[in-house]
Amino acid sequence: AQRVTQPEKLLSVFKGAPVELKCNYSYSGSPELFWYVQYSRQRLQLLLRHISRESIKGFTADLNKGETSFHLKKPFAQEEDSAMYYCALSGGSGYSTLTFGKGTMLLVSP
Amino acid sequence: DAGITQSPRYKITETGRQVTLMCHQTWSHSYMFWYRQDLGHGLRLIYYSAAADITDKGEVPDGYVVSRSKTENFPLTLESATRSQTSVYFCASSSRDRGSNEQFFGPGTRLTVL
């Protein structure tokens, strides 16, 4: 069975501070990992996926297979980063559904 | 480019009534999904579909029915609504054209069951 754990329900930081949103997963094969972001009362949007190894809006995430983690990081948080962030996992071979973590609310204060 | 749309955006109904939530996508994606979003639970998969006339249960299918007669539409029906089905419902679609399971989400339907 596949499982995604986001240990923090809420993460509150000040503008300019570094941010790390934690994501740990459980999956026996090679997973595909995603970070989705949901701004207030809006639809979920893809932020990052591990296979593209890109940086979006200053955020990066590295897949660590040894620690089964996919933490989301940003060196300097901005107020507009305040949102709900979901980590999601998909089985790597063929097609499978996404399993989402319960989400972490990020609040960036001025 | 309309993408993926949901209707209605807001719905209030009463216990025991039948409710249908609509989802329409213009990308001709093969896969479509229904999730419910609840505080403390994140997103939970209700049903999904790999193609027209192919549907399968997700994590929380009880009390819901889906159909997919056309690739672009994936309606979700609550046959007899209960208060526990008060939630925000998201539809999503996906294609493996780029070798990824990335899903694209609709704007959501906020359903209240009184």
Short mmCIF file of all heavy atoms in Angstrom, two decimals, chain A residues 7-70:
data_model
loop_
_atom_site.label_atom_id
_atom_site.label_comp_id
_atom_site.label_asym_id
_atom_site.label_seq_id
_atom_site.Cartn_x
_atom_site.Cartn_y
_atom_site.Cartn_z
N PRO A 7 3.73 15.65 8.19
CA PRO A 7 3.60 15.69 9.65
C PRO A 7 3.07 17.00 10.22
O PRO A 7 2.54 17.01 11.33
CB PRO A 7 5.02 15.40 10.13
CG PRO A 7 5.90 15.80 9.00
CD PRO A 7 5.12 15.53 7.76
N GLU A 8 3.21 18.09 9.49
CA GLU A 8 2.79 19.38 10.00
C GLU A 8 1.47 19.80 9.37
O GLU A 8 1.35 19.87 8.15
CB GLU A 8 3.85 20.45 9.70
CG GLU A 8 5.21 20.14 10.27
CD GLU A 8 6.33 20.37 9.25
OE1 GLU A 8 6.08 20.26 8.04
OE2 GLU A 8 7.45 20.66 9.69
N LYS A 9 0.47 20.09 10.22
CA LYS A 9 -0.78 20.61 9.69
C LYS A 9 -0.63 22.08 9.35
O LYS A 9 -1.22 22.58 8.40
CB LYS A 9 -1.90 20.45 10.73
CG LYS A 9 -2.33 19.03 10.97
CD LYS A 9 -3.49 18.99 11.94
CE LYS A 9 -3.93 17.56 12.18
NZ LYS A 9 -5.06 17.47 13.15
N LEU A 10 0.16 22.80 10.14
CA LEU A 10 0.32 24.23 9.98
C LEU A 10 1.79 24.60 10.18
O LEU A 10 2.44 24.12 11.11
CB LEU A 10 -0.54 24.97 11.01
CG LEU A 10 -0.36 26.48 11.11
CD1 LEU A 10 -0.84 27.15 9.83
CD2 LEU A 10 -1.12 27.04 12.31
N LEU A 11 2.28 25.44 9.27
CA LEU A 11 3.63 25.96 9.40
C LEU A 11 3.55 27.48 9.26
O LEU A 11 3.08 27.98 8.24
CB LEU A 11 4.53 25.38 8.30
CG LEU A 11 6.02 25.72 8.37
CD1 LEU A 11 6.61 25.19 9.66
CD2 LEU A 11 6.74 25.13 7.17
N SER A 12 3.97 28.17 10.30
CA SER A 12 3.87 29.62 10.31
C SER A 12 5.27 30.22 10.36
O SER A 12 6.05 29.89 11.25
CB SER A 12 3.04 30.08 11.52
OG SER A 12 2.84 31.47 11.48
N VAL A 13 5.60 31.08 9.40
CA VAL A 13 6.92 31.69 9.33
C VAL A 13 6.76 33.17 9.02
O VAL A 13 5.70 33.63 8.59
CB VAL A 13 7.80 31.03 8.24
CG1 VAL A 13 7.98 29.54 8.51
CG2 VAL A 13 7.24 31.27 6.85
N PHE A 14 7.86 33.91 9.20
CA PHE A 14 7.88 35.32 8.82
C PHE A 14 8.45 35.46 7.42
O PHE A 14 9.25 34.64 6.95
CB PHE A 14 8.70 36.14 9.82
CG PHE A 14 8.03 36.31 11.15
CD1 PHE A 14 8.45 35.60 12.26
CD2 PHE A 14 6.96 37.18 11.29
CE1 PHE A 14 7.83 35.74 13.49
CE2 PHE A 14 6.32 37.33 12.52
CZ PHE A 14 6.76 36.61 13.61
N LYS A 15 8.02 36.52 6.77
CA LYS A 15 8.51 36.84 5.43
C LYS A 15 10.03 36.88 5.44
O LYS A 15 10.63 37.46 6.34
CB LYS A 15 7.94 38.19 5.00
CG LYS A 15 8.43 38.69 3.66
CD LYS A 15 7.84 40.07 3.38
CE LYS A 15 8.42 40.66 2.11
NZ LYS A 15 7.86 42.01 1.84
N GLY A 16 10.64 36.25 4.44
CA GLY A 16 12.09 36.22 4.34
C GLY A 16 12.75 35.04 5.01
O GLY A 16 13.95 34.79 4.80
N ALA A 17 12.00 34.31 5.82
CA ALA A 17 12.55 33.14 6.51
C ALA A 17 12.55 31.94 5.58
O ALA A 17 11.75 31.85 4.65
CB ALA A 17 11.72 32.83 7.76
N PRO A 18 13.46 30.98 5.83
CA PRO A 18 13.44 29.76 5.01
C PRO A 18 12.26 28.88 5.39
O PRO A 18 11.77 28.90 6.52
CB PRO A 18 14.77 29.09 5.37
CG PRO A 18 15.07 29.59 6.74
CD PRO A 18 14.54 30.98 6.82
N VAL A 19 11.80 28.11 4.41
CA VAL A 19 10.65 27.24 4.60
C VAL A 19 11.01 25.83 4.18
O VAL A 19 11.66 25.62 3.14
CB VAL A 19 9.45 27.73 3.75
CG1 VAL A 19 8.33 26.70 3.74
CG2 VAL A 19 8.95 29.06 4.25
N GLU A 20 10.57 24.86 4.98
CA GLU A 20 10.68 23.46 4.58
C GLU A 20 9.39 22.75 4.97
O GLU A 20 9.05 22.66 6.15
CB GLU A 20 11.87 22.76 5.23
CG GLU A 20 12.01 21.30 4.77
CD GLU A 20 13.20 20.60 5.39
OE1 GLU A 20 13.37 20.66 6.63
OE2 GLU A 20 13.96 19.96 4.63
N LEU A 21 8.66 22.27 3.98
CA LEU A 21 7.46 21.50 4.23
C LEU A 21 7.82 20.03 4.03
O LEU A 21 8.28 19.64 2.96
CB LEU A 21 6.33 21.90 3.28
CG LEU A 21 5.67 23.24 3.53
CD1 LEU A 21 6.50 24.37 2.97
CD2 LEU A 21 4.28 23.28 2.94
N LYS A 22 7.58 19.25 5.04
CA LYS A 22 8.02 17.86 5.03
C LYS A 22 7.01 16.93 4.38
O LYS A 22 5.79 17.10 4.53
CB LYS A 22 8.32 17.39 6.45
CG LYS A 22 9.54 18.06 7.07
CD LYS A 22 9.83 17.51 8.44
CE LYS A 22 11.13 17.97 9.03
NZ LYS A 22 11.66 19.22 8.64
N CYS A 23 7.55 15.94 3.67
CA CYS A 23 6.73 14.90 3.06
C CYS A 23 7.51 13.60 3.12
O CYS A 23 8.63 13.51 2.61
CB CYS A 23 6.40 15.24 1.62
SG CYS A 23 5.57 13.91 0.71
N ASN A 24 6.91 12.60 3.72
CA ASN A 24 7.48 11.26 3.72
C ASN A 24 6.50 10.30 3.07
O ASN A 24 5.30 10.47 3.20
CB ASN A 24 7.80 10.81 5.15
CG ASN A 24 8.97 11.56 5.72
OD1 ASN A 24 8.79 12.59 6.38
ND2 ASN A 24 10.16 11.08 5.47
N TYR A 25 7.02 9.30 2.40
CA TYR A 25 6.14 8.39 1.69
C TYR A 25 6.50 6.95 1.99
O TYR A 25 7.61 6.63 2.44
CB TYR A 25 6.19 8.65 0.19
CG TYR A 25 7.52 8.32 -0.46
CD1 TYR A 25 7.77 7.05 -0.96
CD2 TYR A 25 8.50 9.30 -0.57
CE1 TYR A 25 8.99 6.75 -1.54
CE2 TYR A 25 9.72 9.00 -1.15
CZ TYR A 25 9.97 7.73 -1.64
OH TYR A 25 11.17 7.45 -2.22
N SER A 26 5.54 6.09 1.70
CA SER A 26 5.73 4.66 1.82
C SER A 26 5.28 4.03 0.51
O SER A 26 4.12 4.18 0.12
CB SER A 26 4.91 4.11 2.99
OG SER A 26 4.98 2.70 3.03
N TYR A 27 6.22 3.40 -0.18
CA TYR A 27 5.90 2.75 -1.46
C TYR A 27 7.01 1.79 -1.78
O TYR A 27 8.18 2.12 -1.66
CB TYR A 27 5.75 3.79 -2.57
CG TYR A 27 5.32 3.20 -3.89
CD1 TYR A 27 4.04 2.69 -4.05
CD2 TYR A 27 6.21 3.12 -4.96
CE1 TYR A 27 3.64 2.13 -5.25
CE2 TYR A 27 5.83 2.56 -6.16
CZ TYR A 27 4.54 2.06 -6.31
OH TYR A 27 4.16 1.50 -7.50
N SER A 28 6.67 0.61 -2.23
CA SER A 28 7.68 -0.43 -2.41
C SER A 28 8.45 -0.30 -3.71
O SER A 28 9.57 -0.82 -3.82
CB SER A 28 7.02 -1.81 -2.35
OG SER A 28 6.00 -1.91 -3.32
N GLY A 29 7.91 0.39 -4.71
CA GLY A 29 8.59 0.50 -6.00
C GLY A 29 9.21 1.87 -6.18
O GLY A 29 9.64 2.53 -5.23
N SER A 30 9.29 2.31 -7.44
CA SER A 30 9.81 3.65 -7.74
C SER A 30 8.65 4.60 -7.96
O SER A 30 7.97 4.52 -8.97
CB SER A 30 10.68 3.59 -9.01
OG SER A 30 11.83 2.83 -8.78
N PRO A 31 8.42 5.50 -7.03
CA PRO A 31 7.24 6.36 -7.12
C PRO A 31 7.49 7.60 -7.98
O PRO A 31 8.63 7.96 -8.27
CB PRO A 31 7.01 6.77 -5.67
CG PRO A 31 8.41 6.86 -5.13
CD PRO A 31 9.18 5.75 -5.81
N GLU A 32 6.39 8.23 -8.34
CA GLU A 32 6.44 9.57 -8.92
C GLU A 32 5.86 10.50 -7.86
O GLU A 32 4.75 10.28 -7.37
CB GLU A 32 5.61 9.63 -10.21
CG GLU A 32 5.74 10.95 -10.94
CD GLU A 32 4.98 10.98 -12.26
OE1 GLU A 32 4.19 10.06 -12.53
OE2 GLU A 32 5.17 11.95 -13.01
N LEU A 33 6.61 11.53 -7.49
CA LEU A 33 6.19 12.43 -6.42
C LEU A 33 5.85 13.81 -6.96
O LEU A 33 6.50 14.30 -7.90
CB LEU A 33 7.29 12.57 -5.36
CG LEU A 33 7.39 11.54 -4.23
CD1 LEU A 33 6.16 11.57 -3.35
CD2 LEU A 33 7.65 10.16 -4.76
N PHE A 34 4.83 14.42 -6.33
CA PHE A 34 4.37 15.73 -6.74
C PHE A 34 4.16 16.61 -5.51
O PHE A 34 3.88 16.12 -4.42
CB PHE A 34 3.00 15.65 -7.45
CG PHE A 34 2.95 14.74 -8.64
CD1 PHE A 34 2.70 13.39 -8.49
CD2 PHE A 34 3.13 15.25 -9.91
CE1 PHE A 34 2.63 12.55 -9.59
CE2 PHE A 34 3.06 14.42 -11.02
CZ PHE A 34 2.82 13.07 -10.86
N TRP A 35 4.25 17.92 -5.73
CA TRP A 35 3.73 18.90 -4.78
C TRP A 35 2.67 19.71 -5.51
O TRP A 35 2.92 20.25 -6.59
CB TRP A 35 4.83 19.83 -4.27
CG TRP A 35 5.61 19.28 -3.13
CD1 TRP A 35 6.84 18.70 -3.16
CD2 TRP A 35 5.21 19.25 -1.74
NE1 TRP A 35 7.22 18.30 -1.89
CE2 TRP A 35 6.23 18.64 -1.01
CE3 TRP A 35 4.06 19.71 -1.06
CZ2 TRP A 35 6.17 18.46 0.37
CZ3 TRP A 35 4.00 19.53 0.31
CH2 TRP A 35 5.04 18.91 1.02
N TYR A 36 1.48 19.77 -4.89
CA TYR A 36 0.40 20.62 -5.38
C TYR A 36 0.19 21.75 -4.38
O TYR A 36 0.39 21.58 -3.17
CB TYR A 36 -0.90 19.82 -5.50
CG TYR A 36 -1.00 18.98 -6.76
CD1 TYR A 36 -0.43 17.71 -6.83
CD2 TYR A 36 -1.65 19.47 -7.88
CE1 TYR A 36 -0.52 16.95 -7.98
CE2 TYR A 36 -1.76 18.71 -9.04
CZ TYR A 36 -1.18 17.44 -9.08
OH TYR A 36 -1.28 16.69 -10.23
N VAL A 37 -0.25 22.91 -4.89
CA VAL A 37 -0.54 24.05 -4.04
C VAL A 37 -1.98 24.48 -4.28
O VAL A 37 -2.49 24.41 -5.40
CB VAL A 37 0.44 25.21 -4.30
CG1 VAL A 37 0.37 25.70 -5.74
CG2 VAL A 37 0.18 26.37 -3.34
N GLN A 38 -2.64 24.89 -3.19
CA GLN A 38 -4.01 25.38 -3.28
C GLN A 38 -4.10 26.71 -2.56
O GLN A 38 -4.02 26.77 -1.32
CB GLN A 38 -4.99 24.38 -2.68
CG GLN A 38 -6.45 24.79 -2.84
CD GLN A 38 -7.40 23.81 -2.18
OE1 GLN A 38 -7.04 23.14 -1.20
NE2 GLN A 38 -8.61 23.71 -2.69
N TYR A 39 -4.24 27.81 -3.31
CA TYR A 39 -4.45 29.12 -2.72
C TYR A 39 -5.90 29.21 -2.27
O TYR A 39 -6.75 28.45 -2.72
CB TYR A 39 -4.06 30.21 -3.71
CG TYR A 39 -2.62 30.13 -4.13
CD1 TYR A 39 -2.27 29.59 -5.38
CD2 TYR A 39 -1.60 30.54 -3.28
CE1 TYR A 39 -0.95 29.49 -5.75
CE2 TYR A 39 -0.27 30.42 -3.65
CZ TYR A 39 0.04 29.89 -4.89
OH TYR A 39 1.35 29.77 -5.25
N SER A 40 -6.16 30.18 -1.42
CA SER A 40 -7.45 30.25 -0.73
C SER A 40 -8.63 30.07 -1.69
O SER A 40 -8.81 30.85 -2.61
CB SER A 40 -7.57 31.59 0.00
OG SER A 40 -8.79 31.67 0.67
N ARG A 41 -9.41 29.02 -1.45
CA ARG A 41 -10.64 28.75 -2.19
C ARG A 41 -10.44 28.61 -3.69
O ARG A 41 -11.33 28.93 -4.48
CB ARG A 41 -11.70 29.79 -1.88
CG ARG A 41 -12.18 29.71 -0.45
CD ARG A 41 -13.40 30.54 -0.21
NE ARG A 41 -13.95 30.24 1.12
CZ ARG A 41 -15.18 29.81 1.32
NH1 ARG A 41 -16.00 29.66 0.31
NH2 ARG A 41 -15.61 29.55 2.54
N GLN A 42 -9.26 28.17 -4.10
CA GLN A 42 -9.00 27.96 -5.51
C GLN A 42 -8.74 26.48 -5.78
O GLN A 42 -8.72 25.66 -4.88
CB GLN A 42 -7.81 28.81 -5.97
CG GLN A 42 -8.07 30.30 -5.91
CD GLN A 42 -6.94 31.09 -6.50
OE1 GLN A 42 -6.17 30.59 -7.33
NE2 GLN A 42 -6.82 32.34 -6.09
N ARG A 43 -8.57 26.15 -7.02
CA ARG A 43 -8.30 24.76 -7.39
C ARG A 43 -6.88 24.39 -7.07
O ARG A 43 -6.02 25.26 -6.91
CB ARG A 43 -8.57 24.56 -8.88
CG ARG A 43 -7.56 25.21 -9.82
CD ARG A 43 -7.95 24.97 -11.28
NE ARG A 43 -9.11 25.74 -11.67
CZ ARG A 43 -9.84 25.51 -12.75
NH1 ARG A 43 -9.54 24.49 -13.54
NH2 ARG A 43 -10.86 26.26 -13.06
N LEU A 44 -6.60 23.12 -6.97
CA LEU A 44 -5.23 22.67 -6.80
C LEU A 44 -4.45 22.87 -8.08
O LEU A 44 -4.96 22.62 -9.18
CB LEU A 44 -5.19 21.17 -6.43
CG LEU A 44 -5.38 20.81 -4.97
CD1 LEU A 44 -6.86 20.86 -4.62
CD2 LEU A 44 -4.82 19.42 -4.68
N GLN A 45 -3.21 23.31 -7.92
CA GLN A 45 -2.32 23.50 -9.07
C GLN A 45 -1.03 22.74 -8.81
O GLN A 45 -0.53 22.71 -7.69
CB GLN A 45 -1.95 24.98 -9.22
CG GLN A 45 -3.10 25.95 -9.29
CD GLN A 45 -2.62 27.38 -9.19
OE1 GLN A 45 -1.57 27.73 -9.73
NE2 GLN A 45 -3.37 28.22 -8.51
N LEU A 46 -0.50 22.15 -9.87
CA LEU A 46 0.78 21.48 -9.73
C LEU A 46 1.88 22.51 -9.48
O LEU A 46 1.99 23.51 -10.20
CB LEU A 46 1.10 20.69 -10.99
CG LEU A 46 2.44 19.96 -10.96
CD1 LEU A 46 2.39 18.81 -9.96
CD2 LEU A 46 2.80 19.44 -12.34
N LEU A 47 2.68 22.25 -8.46
CA LEU A 47 3.81 23.13 -8.17
C LEU A 47 5.11 22.50 -8.70
O LEU A 47 5.85 23.13 -9.43
CB LEU A 47 3.91 23.38 -6.66
CG LEU A 47 5.01 24.32 -6.18
CD1 LEU A 47 4.80 25.72 -6.75
CD2 LEU A 47 5.04 24.37 -4.66
N LEU A 48 5.33 21.25 -8.31
CA LEU A 48 6.56 20.56 -8.70
C LEU A 48 6.30 19.08 -8.88
O LEU A 48 5.42 18.52 -8.24
CB LEU A 48 7.63 20.69 -7.61
CG LEU A 48 8.34 22.01 -7.40
CD1 LEU A 48 9.23 21.90 -6.16
CD2 LEU A 48 9.16 22.37 -8.62
N ARG A 49 7.10 18.45 -9.73
CA ARG A 49 7.13 16.99 -9.78
C ARG A 49 8.59 16.58 -9.84
O ARG A 49 9.41 17.27 -10.47
CB ARG A 49 6.38 16.45 -10.99
CG ARG A 49 6.74 17.10 -12.28
CD ARG A 49 5.88 16.59 -13.39
NE ARG A 49 6.11 17.34 -14.61
CZ ARG A 49 5.55 17.07 -15.76
NH1 ARG A 49 4.71 16.06 -15.85
NH2 ARG A 49 5.80 17.80 -16.82
N HIS A 50 8.92 15.49 -9.20
CA HIS A 50 10.32 15.17 -9.00
C HIS A 50 11.03 14.83 -10.31
O HIS A 50 12.22 15.06 -10.44
CB HIS A 50 10.49 14.03 -7.98
CG HIS A 50 10.45 12.65 -8.58
ND1 HIS A 50 9.27 11.97 -8.76
CD2 HIS A 50 11.44 11.86 -9.04
CE1 HIS A 50 9.54 10.80 -9.29
NE2 HIS A 50 10.84 10.70 -9.47
N ILE A 51 10.29 14.33 -11.30
CA ILE A 51 10.96 13.89 -12.52
C ILE A 51 11.47 15.08 -13.35
O ILE A 51 12.37 14.91 -14.17
CB ILE A 51 10.06 13.00 -13.38
CG1 ILE A 51 8.78 13.73 -13.78
CG2 ILE A 51 9.74 11.71 -12.66
CD1 ILE A 51 7.91 12.94 -14.74
N SER A 52 10.92 16.27 -13.13
CA SER A 52 11.35 17.40 -13.94
C SER A 52 12.46 18.20 -13.27
O SER A 52 13.10 19.01 -13.92
CB SER A 52 10.18 18.31 -14.27
OG SER A 52 9.52 18.70 -13.09
N ARG A 53 12.66 17.99 -11.96
CA ARG A 53 13.77 18.61 -11.22
C ARG A 53 13.88 20.12 -11.50
O ARG A 53 14.94 20.64 -11.80
CB ARG A 53 15.09 17.93 -11.56
CG ARG A 53 15.13 16.46 -11.19
CD ARG A 53 16.50 15.86 -11.41
NE ARG A 53 17.51 16.50 -10.55
CZ ARG A 53 17.72 16.19 -9.29
NH1 ARG A 53 16.96 15.26 -8.70
NH2 ARG A 53 18.64 16.80 -8.58
N GLU A 54 12.74 20.80 -11.48
CA GLU A 54 12.75 22.23 -11.76
C GLU A 54 12.48 23.02 -10.49
O GLU A 54 12.14 22.46 -9.46
CB GLU A 54 11.68 22.54 -12.81
CG GLU A 54 10.29 22.09 -12.39
CD GLU A 54 9.34 21.98 -13.57
OE1 GLU A 54 9.62 22.53 -14.63
OE2 GLU A 54 8.29 21.34 -13.41
N SER A 55 12.65 24.33 -10.59
CA SER A 55 12.33 25.23 -9.48
C SER A 55 11.19 26.12 -9.93
O SER A 55 11.29 26.79 -10.96
CB SER A 55 13.55 26.07 -9.11
OG SER A 55 13.21 27.03 -8.14
N ILE A 56 10.11 26.11 -9.18
CA ILE A 56 8.94 26.92 -9.51
C ILE A 56 8.68 27.88 -8.37
O ILE A 56 8.60 27.47 -7.21
CB ILE A 56 7.69 26.04 -9.73
CG1 ILE A 56 7.95 25.01 -10.82
CG2 ILE A 56 6.49 26.90 -10.07
CD1 ILE A 56 8.13 25.58 -12.20
N LYS A 57 8.57 29.17 -8.67
CA LYS A 57 8.30 30.20 -7.67
C LYS A 57 9.32 30.14 -6.53
O LYS A 57 9.01 30.46 -5.38
CB LYS A 57 6.88 30.07 -7.11
CG LYS A 57 5.81 30.24 -8.17
CD LYS A 57 4.41 30.19 -7.57
CE LYS A 57 3.37 30.37 -8.65
NZ LYS A 57 1.99 30.36 -8.11
N GLY A 58 10.53 29.70 -6.84
CA GLY A 58 11.58 29.63 -5.84
C GLY A 58 11.58 28.37 -5.01
O GLY A 58 12.47 28.17 -4.17
N PHE A 59 10.60 27.50 -5.21
CA PHE A 59 10.52 26.25 -4.48
C PHE A 59 11.30 25.14 -5.20
O PHE A 59 11.31 25.08 -6.42
CB PHE A 59 9.06 25.78 -4.35
CG PHE A 59 8.24 26.55 -3.37
CD1 PHE A 59 7.42 27.58 -3.79
CD2 PHE A 59 8.27 26.22 -2.03
CE1 PHE A 59 6.65 28.29 -2.89
CE2 PHE A 59 7.50 26.92 -1.10
CZ PHE A 59 6.70 27.96 -1.53
N THR A 60 11.92 24.29 -4.41
CA THR A 60 12.58 23.10 -4.92
C THR A 60 12.21 21.91 -4.04
O THR A 60 11.81 22.08 -2.88
CB THR A 60 14.11 23.24 -4.93
OG1 THR A 60 14.56 23.49 -3.60
CG2 THR A 60 14.56 24.35 -5.86
N ALA A 61 12.34 20.72 -4.60
CA ALA A 61 12.09 19.50 -3.82
C ALA A 61 12.96 18.40 -4.40
O ALA A 61 13.03 18.24 -5.61
CB ALA A 61 10.62 19.10 -3.88
N ASP A 62 13.63 17.70 -3.54
CA ASP A 62 14.50 16.61 -3.97
C ASP A 62 13.98 15.29 -3.41
O ASP A 62 13.67 15.18 -2.22
CB ASP A 62 15.94 16.83 -3.48
CG ASP A 62 16.60 17.96 -4.22
OD1 ASP A 62 16.45 18.03 -5.46
OD2 ASP A 62 17.26 18.78 -3.56
N LEU A 63 13.91 14.30 -4.29
CA LEU A 63 13.48 12.98 -3.87
C LEU A 63 14.65 12.26 -3.21
O LEU A 63 15.71 12.09 -3.83
CB LEU A 63 12.99 12.18 -5.08
CG LEU A 63 12.53 10.75 -4.81
CD1 LEU A 63 11.37 10.73 -3.82
CD2 LEU A 63 12.14 10.06 -6.12
N ASN A 64 14.48 11.86 -1.98
CA ASN A 64 15.50 11.12 -1.24
C ASN A 64 14.95 9.72 -1.01
O ASN A 64 14.15 9.48 -0.11
CB ASN A 64 15.79 11.81 0.09
CG ASN A 64 16.94 11.16 0.85
OD1 ASN A 64 17.11 9.93 0.82
ND2 ASN A 64 17.73 11.97 1.53
N LYS A 65 15.38 8.79 -1.85
CA LYS A 65 14.84 7.43 -1.78
C LYS A 65 15.28 6.71 -0.51
O LYS A 65 14.57 5.87 0.04
CB LYS A 65 15.23 6.62 -3.02
CG LYS A 65 14.56 7.14 -4.28
CD LYS A 65 14.84 6.22 -5.46
CE LYS A 65 14.11 6.72 -6.71
NZ LYS A 65 14.35 5.84 -7.88
N GLY A 66 16.48 7.05 -0.02
CA GLY A 66 16.96 6.41 1.20
C GLY A 66 16.12 6.76 2.40
O GLY A 66 15.80 5.91 3.24
N GLU A 67 15.71 8.03 2.48
CA GLU A 67 14.88 8.48 3.60
C GLU A 67 13.40 8.49 3.24
O GLU A 67 12.58 8.90 4.05
CB GLU A 67 15.31 9.90 4.02
CG GLU A 67 16.72 9.96 4.57
CD GLU A 67 17.09 11.35 5.07
OE1 GLU A 67 16.27 12.28 4.93
OE2 GLU A 67 18.20 11.51 5.59
N THR A 68 13.08 8.06 2.03
CA THR A 68 11.69 8.09 1.50
C THR A 68 11.04 9.43 1.80
O THR A 68 9.97 9.51 2.42
CB THR A 68 10.84 6.92 2.03
OG1 THR A 68 10.78 6.98 3.47
CG2 THR A 68 11.40 5.60 1.58
N SER A 69 11.71 10.49 1.34
CA SER A 69 11.19 11.84 1.60
C SER A 69 11.21 12.66 0.33
O SER A 69 11.96 12.38 -0.62
CB SER A 69 12.03 12.53 2.69
OG SER A 69 13.33 12.80 2.22
N PHE A 70 10.38 13.69 0.32
CA PHE A 70 10.28 14.62 -0.80
C PHE A 70 9.91 15.98 -0.23
O PHE A 70 8.87 16.53 -0.48
CB PHE A 70 9.24 14.12 -1.81
CG PHE A 70 9.20 14.89 -3.11
CD1 PHE A 70 10.33 15.04 -3.90
CD2 PHE A 70 8.00 15.42 -3.56
CE1 PHE A 70 10.29 15.73 -5.09
CE2 PHE A 70 7.94 16.11 -4.77
CZ PHE A 70 9.08 16.26 -5.53
#
